Amino acid sequence: MQSGSVLLFREGDEIPPEYLLQAIWQHQRLFRNELKTLDGQPVRILHPGFLNREGGPDFHGAVIQFGSAPPQSGDIEVDLHLNGWHAHGHDRNPAFANVILHVVWDAEKAVRAMPPAIAIGNRLDASLSDLGFWLNSEASETWPDELRGQCCAPLKNWSAEQIATLLRDAGQIRFRSKAFQLQARARQVGWEQTLWEGIFRALGYKHNAWPMQCLAEQRASWLNTQLSPEALQARLLGVSGLLPPELTRAQAAADGYLRSVWDQWWRERDAFSECALPRSLWRFHGQRPANHPQRRIALAAHWLASGTLPEKLERWCAAELTDDRLAASLLELLQIEPDEFWSWHWTIRSPRLEKPQPLLGAARVTDLAVNVILPWLWVRALEGKNQLLQNSILHRFEVWPAAEDNSVLRMGRQRLLGGRSKHALRTAAEQQGLIQITRDFCDHSNAVCENCRFPELVNQQAFTADSSKLFRS
Ligand code: SF4
């Protein structure tokens, strides 16, 4: 939600800003029993959907009933004007193919070849200026109770410690399932290759996990540990398809680097044409500059060129470390020497930064630890039948500090945990547990929790010690 909306929106303004329209829809600040589409069909909003903070329609997973037809699930797009549908290119964008209702501020009549539309400007439950004040208050940050999941009410009877145990148990299930996935892959390609694939995937974040995985799968074709980090960067940037085509640009420093990587890639690109990836595989939209795949590949090239990462991780695993040193010690291990170019640039094309920036931060280290490194080490200890080591690795997982918040966690806290703050999840294991529950249950149901067994299971298990029985393993 935007702050300062009271200043932006005043009595007498006739059209609200679009984010206020989204908030009105999300919280259903409407006379809900009087809603009709522009072509006169009554509309029942069984669930307004979940706000989408990325590209695509404004809300996903809404449940809507038109007239006496059965309820249907789909997306909602909110625009000020009806012509926004064509003007913003939604009609040509496949991401909008599942829009079942177009919510607009004001319109007179429906237009053919568009999804059903509804105008809400004259259906508000308060004046626009009151809604503007409301938007700026805490109330607009909290979901109304009727939008929460059906498990939220029974879980309210659980103590904070019981919830933490439930989340830790679910987190362990998730941890083991990742570990067994790595084990299955290692049976095909070996342990070290599996580790690199996991690391590359984690460096790709959610948008570029797949191309990073493809790149890592070709490791045997492009890896030469005799190469310097810069030479390996050139090869990887070339193979990945992320090397910009033109050589001349205003930024001289970037040009110098680009010229040198191109000089190398030019000589060897034919030899790697079979494993080269198309640039179209990568997604750049909505990404922080620090997470740009070019920068992540540059970092991976340093680890690969050193040739010692797996051994270093095993030594780290065997070392005695206090809980408060775990994350910092792994960060130290993974940190690289300053890179002449990449410590000073977000991407090949970006201008030189005023201050050097590390290529790896604490948040990424936590993702690598929780999703790849700890499960990989644990399942190796399992294969080696080393119970002590397994226990110690599981302990590290359980006490690892919480990762950065994300959209799945935000949604889970709202739907299941009554809007608890992000600080309520104290460890990465608890966060992983909440993600596991949403994957196991919410992803198999809909916004109104149809056929979800979780509330019933919560009720049955409410005061037993072993909440792991609740999950699919
Ligand atoms: S779908 Fe199930 S787990 Fe998800 S919020 Fe609804 S009741 Fe809870």
Side-chain angles (χ1 to χ4, degrees):
M1 293 292 157
Q2 313 234 347
S3 59
S5 51
V6 171
L7 299 176
L8 294 172
F9 184 76
R10 304 169 305 276
E11 190 76 73
D13 284 350
E14 284 177 359
I15 298 184
E18 195 167 304
Y19 60 81
L20 177 54
L21 215 56
Q22 287 175 344
I24 289 169
W25 179 257
Q26 184 183 19
H27 293 261
Q28 291 287 288
R29 297 295 310 266
L30 304 165
F31 290 122
R32 287 166 43 78
N33 51 1
E34 295 176 9
L35 300 176
K36 281 191 177 159
T37 59
L38 293 179
D39 55 10
Q41 279 199 85
V43 185
R44 234 175 111 210
I45 313 300
L46 299 172
H47 196 289
F50 302 109
L51 185 62
N52 170 28
R53 293 174 196 271
E54 299 182 0
D58 292 307
F59 292 86
H60 287 313
V63 184
I64 309 277
Q65 185 172 25
F66 295 99
S68 55
Q72 54 176 297
S73 289
D75 301 335
I76 304 285
E77 175 61 9
V78 178
D79 277 319
L80 290 176
H81 306 291
L82 199 57
N83 65 8
W85 186 257
H86 293 302
H88 302 159
H90 303 331
D91 53 331
R92 301 179 299 280
N93 185 342
F96 288 76
N98 199 28
V99 169
I100 54 172
L101 187 63
H102 189 203
V103 176
V104 297
W105 173 245
D106 195 13
E108 302 249 302
K109 58 179 184 307
V111 176
R112 276 198 192 173
M114 279 176 39
I118 183 173
I120 59 171
N122 57 359
R123 293 287 179 270
L124 307 183
D125 71 358
S127 73
L128 259 186
S129 58
D130 285 352
L131 288 169
F133 276 104
W134 159 80
L135 180 62
N136 225 27
S137 71
E138 274 187 17
S140 71
E141 298 281 336
T142 312
W143 280 23
D145 278 348
E146 56 274 23
L147 292 190
R148 299 208 190 283
Q150 289 175 17
C151 57
C152 186
L155 280 173
K156 265 196 187 139
N157 298 325
W158 287 37
S159 68
E161 205 32 61
Q162 281 174 313
I163 301 243
T165 306
L166 169 79
L167 295 177
R168 277 199 301 274
D169 286 346
Q172 259 208 34
I173 303 270
R174 189 168 175 78
F175 179 86
R176 283 169 199 266
S177 124
K178 282 178 199 246
F180 291 133
Q181 241 174 295
L182 292 170
Q183 184 186 40
R185 182 67 182 153
R187 285 184 182 142
Q188 293 174 51
V189 297
W191 287 107
E192 184 171 348
Q193 173 63 16
T194 301
L195 175 68
W196 283 112
E197 288 179 12
I199 288 175
F200 269 58
R201 224 175 20 247
L203 291 179
Y205 301 78
K206 63 180 171 181
H207 293 322
N208 289 310
W210 181 238
M212 287 296 274
Q213 162 89 24
C214 293
L215 197 55
E217 281 172 4
Q218 304 286 338
R219 192 176 69 109
S221 324
W222 47 252
L223 182 63
N224 175 353
T225 49
Q226 306 302 312
L227 292 179
S228 68
E230 187 183 296
L232 206 46
Q233 284 169 359
R235 183 172 293 179
L236 274 173
L237 288 166
V239 172
S240 66
L242 288 172
L243 215 45
E246 322 90 63
L247 281 172
T248 50
R249 273 281 188 269
Q251 294 106 27
D255 253 2
Y257 178 79
L258 183 56
R259 189 167 294 278
S260 81
V261 291
W262 252 113
D263 281 348
Q264 184 190 320
W265 179 240
W266 189 260
R267 289 195 301 272
E268 60 183 27
R269 68 175 175 177
D270 286 347
F272 293 100
S273 59
E274 281 195 6
C275 61
L277 301 178
R279 190 179 169 86
S280 56
L281 216 53
W282 300 90
R283 278 183 62 189
F284 306 103
H285 178 77
Q287 188 147 252
R288 290 185 202 159
N291 299 340
H292 195 284
Q294 288 172 344
R295 195 172 162 80
R296 294 302 169 199
I297 285 173
L299 170 66
H302 276 273
W303 291 337
L304 284 155
S306 80
T308 55
L309 189 66
E311 294 76 37
K312 278 184 173 174
L313 290 174
E314 278 172 353
R315 280 202 297 279
W316 173 81
C317 177
E320 291 210 359
L321 293 165
T322 54
D323 293 350
D324 60 345
R325 280 282 303 147
L326 287 177
S329 63
L330 187 59
L331 177 58
E332 281 161 26
L333 183 156
L334 293 172
Q335 209 55 270
I336 56 160
E337 294 293 311
D339 180 297
E340 217 171 284
F341 181 82
W342 287 104
S343 297
W344 294 91
H345 296 84
W346 295 129
T347 69
I348 288 184
R349 287 294 193 208
S350 62
R352 187 177 164 88
L353 300 162
E354 281 182 14
K355 284 195 300 195
Q357 296 295 329
L359 272 90
L360 187 72
R364 192 75 334 222
V365 169
T366 289
D367 284 352
L368 283 165
V370 168
N371 293 306
V372 185
I373 294 171
L374 290 172
W376 183 80
L377 290 166
W378 180 82
V379 80
R380 295 196 73 185
L382 179 80
E383 287 222 334
K385 299 191 172 40
N386 187 336
Q387 187 64 50
L388 267 181
L389 196 54
Q390 284 173 60
N391 293 347
S392 142
I393 297 166
L394 258 190
H395 173 78
R396 289 187 184 189
F397 170 68
E398 292 211 329
V399 300
W400 202 276
E404 270 184 349
D405 206 16
N406 62 42
S407 57
V408 180
L409 292 170
R410 275 194 291 276
M411 174 82 75
R413 290 200 311 275
Q414 288 289 0
R415 288 191 80 190
L416 287 84
L417 301 180
R420 284 180 194 219
S421 102
K422 63 180 178 183
H423 304 296
L425 306 183
R426 294 161 301 181
T427 59
E430 292 178 14
Q431 293 175 317
Q432 289 288 306
L434 186 55
I435 294 171
Q436 181 69 24
I437 298 174
T438 63
R439 296 286 180 247
D440 269 358
F441 294 96
C442 304
D443 285 0
H444 298 273
S445 179
N446 61 10
V448 288
C449 307
E450 209 171 2
N451 300 325
C452 179
R453 290 191 61 226
F454 192 59
E456 181 196 324
L457 293 169
V458 168
N459 277 326
Q460 284 168 10
Q461 302 282 330
F463 299 105
T464 66
D466 185 7
S467 49
S468 65
K469 286 185 197 137
L470 295 174
F471 308 102
R472 298 152 205 214
S473 47

